[in-house]
Amino acid sequence: MTSAVPIGIVSTGMYIPETFQTSKEISELSGVPQDVVENKFGILRKPVPGADDHSCEMGIRAARLAIAKAQLDPADIDLVIYIGEEHKEYPVWTAAMKLQQEVGAIRAWAFDVGMRCSTTVMALKVAQSMMIADRSIRTVLLAGGYRNGDLIDYGNRHTSFMFNLGAGGGAILLQRDYGRNRVLASHLITDGSFSEDVIVPAGGTKHPLTLEAIEQRKHYFHVPNPQRMKERLEEKSMGYFLEAVRQSLAKSGYTEKDIAYAAMLHMKKSAHDYVLRQLGLSDDQSIYLNEFGHIGQFDQILSLELAASSGKLKDGDVVVLVSAGIGYAWGATTIRWGEADAGN
C-alpha cells in the first residue's frame, strides 16, 4: 500500500517547440506511405526542435512554467531531479545543476536520473521515497528535455517504430503534505534481456565516434536483430504494460475498474487501443497523442495537461500514468486527482 505521508503534484509545465514535422514530411523522408504513418504509426504531426531548443533548455522552460503556475518561490525548492535524456547539450554533463541554476533553485541540490521513456514514472517513485525518508526534502522539482528524434535515421526501416520521436520539455513540482493530486504508488518492471536490442552503436567506449562511424550512420539508433526483438516484445510487452498498471493500482488500494483516466505514452494506435480495452477503458478515458508523437518520458505530463484543460479530470478521479522505455522498462504511477477527500 502507498505511504501515509501525502505527496502531491502542485503543478506541471510543458514546453512544446513551435516547429512541427508532418506525416507527409515523415513519409517523404522514410518512403513509408503517408496513410501508414498516420493510421498505423499514429502520427499526424510531431514537434521538432528549433535552433535554440536544446534538451536542458527545454526542461528549463517547462520548469519555469510549472514554478509560475504554482506561484512558488524557486528558492523554496529543496531538490531538483533532471528527468531528461542523455542526448543533451554536452555528452558528459550533469544537466540538473544547470537547470537548478537557471530556474533560481539556489537552495536545492540536484542530480540526473535516467530510465529512457519510463524516467518520469521512475523519478516520481524516487522523489516520493526520498521525501518520505528525509523530512528536510519538502519540495521537489522534476524537469528535463527530450529530442531523441535527432537520433533517428529515416532510411532505416528497422527503427520505424521510433519515427514518432519528437521534442519538448516537461516538469512536475511535488510537495509533501500538499492536499491535492496525491501521488500514490508506482510499479516498475525492467527486462534486461532487451538491454542491447536498441542502441546507438557509435559514441561510447566500445565504438568511439569517428568519421568512419558517421559515414556508416552509426550515430543513429540501430536495432541489431530486429526480428528477434519483435518476436520477444510481442510475447512480453503488452503483458508487462498491464502488469505495471495493475500492480501500481493494487499498491494504491484500487483496481482497473477505478481508473477514470490513463495518461499514456504515444505508441502505435493498435497497441494504445489494446491497452485501453484490456483495462476496460473507453477512448474518452485517455488522449491519443497523434498530434504530438512521442516526446519520451514527457508524454504523461502532456497527457495530464491536455486532460485537465479539456475537462476530463475532476476531483477524486483515479489517474494512472503509463510508460515504457527501450532497455526495456515499463512503469505506472497512480494518482488521486484533485482534493484528497473528494469522492468519484
Side-chain angles (χ1 to χ4, degrees):
M1 296 294 289
T2 189
S3 167
V5 179
I7 308 293
I9 296 175
V10 182
S11 65
T12 61
M14 195 73 203
Y15 170 78
I16 303 291
E18 295 179 354
T19 47
F20 281 78
Q21 189 176 57
T22 66
S23 60
K24 183 175 185 293
E25 290 169 324
I26 294 170
S27 174
E28 291 170 349
L29 286 167
S30 65
V32 176
Q34 186 176 352
D35 69 305
V36 173
V37 174
E38 293 185 353
N39 300 316
K40 182 178 180 181
F41 297 172
I43 313 164
L44 299 181
R45 64 173 194 166
K46 65 178 186 178
V48 293
D52 297 319
D53 291 325
H54 303 291
S55 300
C56 185
E57 179 59 34
M58 290 189 287
I60 291 165
R61 295 172 191 173
R64 286 173 175 157
L65 290 171
I67 291 167
K69 270 197 254 180
Q71 299 182 319
L72 179 78
D73 182 346
D76 290 335
I77 297 170
D78 301 300
L79 174 63
V80 173
I81 302 178
Y82 185 79
I83 57 173
E85 273 298 329
E86 288 178 286
H87 178 58
K88 50 186 183 287
E89 282 85 336
Y90 310 105
V92 183
W93 187 54
T94 306
M97 297 173 191
K98 171 67 173 177
L99 192 145
Q100 166 197 6
Q101 177 68 20
E102 292 300 319
V103 302
I106 56 175
R107 288 184 49 258
W109 58 286
F111 63 91
D112 294 5
V113 295
M115 202 183 200
R116 302 296 64 79
C117 299
S118 280
T119 301
T120 294
V121 168
M122 178 268 280
L124 282 167
K125 182 174 178 63
V126 169
Q128 181 185 37
S129 299
M130 293 180 69
M131 294 165 83
I132 292 167
D134 185 345
R135 297 290 295 181
S136 72
I137 302 174
R138 181 172 180 267
T139 303
V140 178
L141 170 64
L142 313 179
Y146 183 95
R147 50 178 291 171
N148 280 9
D150 295 347
L151 305 176
I152 294 300
D153 177 2
Y154 287 100
N156 183 352
R157 288 291 185 95
H158 295 320
T159 60
S160 63
F161 64 96
M162 293 190 288
F163 286 0
N164 62 344
L165 298 191
I172 299 176
L173 266 170
L174 300 173
Q175 203 163 73
R176 191 177 58 245
D177 301 322
Y178 186 70
R180 293 182 59 83
N181 311 326
R182 185 174 176 185
V183 178
L184 301 178
S186 301
H187 190 78
L188 291 148
I189 300 167
T190 59
D191 188 335
S193 68
F194 295 93
S195 65
E196 293 181 304
D197 281 358
V198 185
I199 58 173
V200 176
T205 59
K206 274 194 170 183
H207 303 286
L209 189 61
T210 62
L211 180 59
E212 181 183 12
I214 293 171
E215 289 171 346
Q216 295 174 356
R217 305 183 74 76
K218 291 183 177 179
H219 57 305
Y220 292 106
F221 277 121
H222 180 65
V223 180
N225 193 328
Q227 186 59 34
R228 181 170 174 269
M229 185 188 78
K230 182 175 184 291
E231 290 170 355
R232 289 182 299 119
L233 268 181
E234 287 177 348
E235 177 186 347
K236 295 184 175 183
S237 186
M238 290 298 105
Y240 282 149
F241 264 117
L242 297 169
E243 182 182 350
V245 172
R246 288 166 177 157
Q247 289 292 334
S248 170
L249 287 163
K251 291 177 184 179
S252 304
Y254 296 107
T255 71
E256 56 209 77
K257 293 180 181 179
D258 298 306
I259 301 173
Y261 183 79
M264 294 172 56
L265 75 157
H266 181 273
M267 50 188 167
K268 65 181 182 179
K269 189 64 166 61
S270 60
H272 175 93
D273 291 346
Y274 177 83
V275 173
L276 288 184
R277 298 296 92 81
Q278 290 299 305
L279 294 173
L281 302 177
S282 69
D283 291 342
D284 288 340
Q285 290 176 284
S286 188
I287 294 174
Y288 190 59
L289 302 174
N290 57 356
E291 293 194 358
F292 298 92
H294 181 40
I295 311 177
Q297 49 269 46
F298 304 110
D299 285 3
Q300 295 79 27
I301 301 173
L302 174 60
S303 186
L304 271 182
E305 291 204 347
L306 292 173
S309 66
S310 62
K312 286 183 178 289
L313 302 182
K314 63 182 185 299
D315 282 3
D317 277 352
V318 174
V319 176
V320 180
L321 313 185
V322 186
S323 70
I326 57 174
Y328 263 80
W330 297 261
T333 297
T334 300
I335 297 166
R336 180 77 168 186
W337 193 259
E339 294 294 338
D341 59 353
N344 284 317

